[in-house]
Amino acid sequence: MKKLTTALALFAMCFVSCKKEIKTETITEKDSDTVKTEQAEAEPVLDSAAQMKAWQAYATPGNPHKLMADEVGTWNCDMTFWSEANGKPEKAASVAVIRMILGGRYQEADYKGTMMGQPFEGKSTLAYNNASQEYTTTFIDNMGTGMMVAMGKYDEKTKSMELKGEMVNPLNGKKTPYREVYTIVDPTTRKMEMFDTKNGTEYKSMEIIMKKK
């Protein structure tokens, strides 16, 4: 009986030892896979000259910035609004003064006019990110306390830019998607259309026809 107990004890020790070795090997394999994955996902290391070249390309205005610079000047804006699909349109008017800032890298526009019988002021910025190759637009005004931010790309064939973003509905505090389509009609005419979503359905909520003075 003593011999049997001793044999069982040795077997148990051997089993535990083997199990630890298997567990150790498994962890080692996982760690090895993790290292390989991290190495595969690691970004290539650039030398200082290549880094400088990349930053210069990122910071240098290009053709998209020239497109924005073509709009520098004063524009009369004929504005139409709809509160719902097929709703009654409401009209407003404003004047936009557009300029390029920070060495021609960004476009800034100031809007002043009258909306719903009240003085209206707004400010927009437009940027083209050389790295991501997309446009970003922001808009703030004195009719609220939020900022609208949308991003998108320019289509040379249609001469239009489609930008998508989210805005907070002040009636319920929830975020809802919106879409802008900005079209270069001709050298002195621009059209901006905004589409909101209500009850899961998109509808045209605003149109601005801009005429350069």
Side-chain angles (χ1 to χ4, degrees), residues 68-104:
M68 291 190 285
D70 288 341
E71 299 184 337
V72 169
T74 303
W75 299 72
N76 290 324
C77 303
D78 180 20
M79 310 165 73
T80 307
F81 301 88
W82 294 267
S83 60
E84 58 184 3
N86 302 315
K88 182 181 178 180
E90 297 183 17
K91 302 289 291 186
S94 65
V95 175
V97 178
I98 298 177
R99 66 184 67 85
M100 296 298 289
I101 61 173
L102 300 179

